[in-house]
Amino acid sequence: MPAPTRRTTTPAPATGRVGIKDVARHAGVSVGTVSNVINNPEMVSEETRLRVRTVIEQLGYVRSEFARQLRAGRSRLVGMLVLDLANPFFAEVAKGAERTLRDADLGVMVCNSAGSTTEETEYLSLFAEQRIRGVLVTPADSSGRTVEALRAKGIPFVLVDRSLPAEEGCSVSVDDVRGGTMATAHLLNAGHRHLAFVGGPTRLPQVRDRLEGARTAVADAGLQPDALVHITSDHLDVASGRDAGARLLGLASRPTAVFCANDLMALGVLQALYGAGVRVPDDIALVGYDDIEFAAAAAVPLTSVRQPAAVIGRTAAELLLEETSDDADGHRHRRIVLQPELVVRESSNTRVPRTG
């Protein structure tokens, strides 16, 4: 009776990362043969392919994607730097971009600057070190240094939720001036004549543009500038909205309507008003911006200016793919400005509250 066949295993190297040379040595083949098994398996016999793949599995070998990219001269990784990943709007933008890039067989490294110019600089340096294919970025730094840094490093980029002259690069944004005008005109058309704009840091172009739109609507209605009270904040989040709501309640002359620079702030304002027993919309009407998923699900469904978040991400990714494709010589930078949409819900669905 023949002795049973004993299955042997290939011991992994005692120390260090498993490399392609380790695989070749344990399989008894050349480094070139291992490379062919991985990249051009049709060039290797079935028996050799099986032997090499068995060793790869036993050693736990993982090929170096970075080395492969250096050989190919083209990275399969795209960097995406968003302003605030905690904001569902930017999360949806990132999802739209990721779907498009994954369909193109590219990976995405999504990073969050959290509105910090320091973190933004550090992430951009990381992207450069990784020799990524390109960057989708919503700059925290509104001075233009972000764009200049990317251009100096020769990294293709598309600005997201920011506008840029076409001769300077590609960008995808929404007409926030129009969005601010629409939101405020909606409240004015309901009869409100004493309004407030609750916004974050005015260094952000989106906040400035939405405020400009609100002021334009007030002027178009024939009202004086002081008909619109501007309440500022350092951030665009729920906590800042609650703080702004408390300050709003402390005004000697309380506005009858509030337009917030984004939905997170509007939800914070709504919490502050609810906690003080102020009814929305009967006592104060409220409008947000972005139309995130939570807007419709709020205790009082929130009227909001909808931005096509997923479309923004998808369009930006398509522009970057076009600029970094093999036939990119025909690429021309484009400045794409999408249009917002007012979605009216219960939080503003009333006319000016009666007094007395």
Side-chain angles (χ1 to χ4, degrees):
M1 182 175 179
T5 301
R6 177 179 297 176
R7 183 177 178 180
T8 60
T9 58
T10 302
T15 60
R17 181 189 177 107
V18 176
I20 194 170
K21 292 182 180 179
D22 298 311
V23 174
R25 185 173 66 255
H26 284 85
V29 298
S30 68
V31 170
T33 298
V34 177
S35 178
N36 282 334
V37 169
I38 296 171
N39 300 300
N40 303 292
E42 71 282 355
M43 298 177 62
V44 184
S45 70
E46 183 178 354
E47 179 184 354
T48 302
R49 284 202 310 268
L50 178 61
R51 184 164 76 254
V52 171
R53 291 193 181 281
T54 299
V55 172
I56 286 175
E57 182 179 346
Q58 291 174 344
L59 293 182
Y61 168 72
V62 178
R63 68 174 177 174
S64 170
E65 179 66 13
F66 183 59
R68 191 196 69 79
Q69 291 172 6
L70 287 178
R71 290 193 298 272
R74 179 66 62 101
S75 172
R76 291 180 53 250
L77 184 65
V78 169
M80 185 167 191
L81 185 58
V82 300
L83 193 64
D84 181 10
L85 203 52
N87 186 333
F89 166 73
F90 285 109
E92 192 65 24
V93 171
K95 284 169 60 178
E98 183 183 27
R99 292 189 198 103
T100 301
L101 293 167
R102 285 182 64 83
D103 286 345
D105 197 30
L106 299 178
V108 187
M109 181 191 297
V110 180
C111 300
N112 178 28
S113 72
S116 166
T117 56
T118 300
E119 291 194 29
E120 178 174 271
T121 300
E122 291 174 353
Y123 277 127
L124 293 177
S125 295
L126 174 63
F127 291 160
E129 290 171 5
Q130 295 298 314
R131 303 191 183 188
I132 57 172
R133 187 186 191 97
V135 176
L136 303 175
V137 57
T138 304
D141 189 337
S142 59
S143 69
R145 285 192 291 265
T146 302
V147 171
E148 291 307 316
L150 289 167
R151 189 176 287 121
K153 291 180 171 66
I155 300 175
F157 65 89
V158 177
L159 293 196
V160 182
D161 198 34
R162 287 285 197 282
S163 183
L164 187 70
E167 63 271 15
E168 296 183 21
C170 286
S171 64
V172 182
S173 63
V174 171
D175 188 343
D176 283 323
V177 175
R178 175 172 170 76
T181 301
M182 291 168 60
T184 308
H186 166 68
L187 296 170
L188 292 167
N189 290 337
H192 297 279
R193 291 298 179 266
H194 186 195
L195 302 88
F197 174 77
V198 173
T202 53
R203 62 179 174 79
L204 296 177
Q206 297 100 318
V207 174
R208 292 199 304 268
D209 288 349
R210 294 166 197 179
L211 175 58
E212 179 185 340
R215 287 172 170 166
T216 297
V218 167
D220 289 347
L223 302 178
Q224 294 299 311
D226 60 4
L228 181 71
V229 177
H230 181 196
I231 298 177
T232 63
S233 179
D234 291 335
H235 303 285
L236 285 162
D237 55 19
V238 174
S240 297
R242 284 195 297 267
D243 176 70
R247 284 184 280 152
L248 179 74
L249 291 168
L251 294 176
S253 178
R254 183 183 297 174
T256 62
V258 179
F259 167 41
C260 297
N262 75 358
D263 286 343
L264 294 181
M265 296 200 80
L267 292 172
V269 170
L270 179 62
Q271 289 179 6
L273 297 180
Y274 182 82
V278 177
R279 298 170 301 171
V280 176
D282 296 330
D283 299 324
I284 294 181
L286 184 63
V287 176
Y289 206 104
D290 289 339
D291 195 31
I292 62 176
E293 185 177 356
F294 299 134
V300 179
L302 184 65
T303 294
S304 185
V305 178
R306 175 179 294 165
Q307 298 198 83
V311 175
I312 293 171
R314 181 175 70 245
T315 304
E318 289 170 348
L319 288 175
L320 187 63
L321 287 172
E322 180 183 298
E323 185 172 353
T324 59
S325 67
D326 292 335
D327 57 351
D329 290 343
H331 173 77
R332 295 292 179 271
H333 292 320
R334 281 182 285 165
R335 175 178 177 264
I336 296 179
V337 181
L338 304 173
Q339 294 303 310
E341 174 190 358
L342 182 68
V343 180
V344 178
R345 298 191 181 95
E346 187 179 340
S347 71
S348 68
N349 194 17
T350 186
R351 297 194 63 80
V352 175
R354 294 185 297 272
T355 58

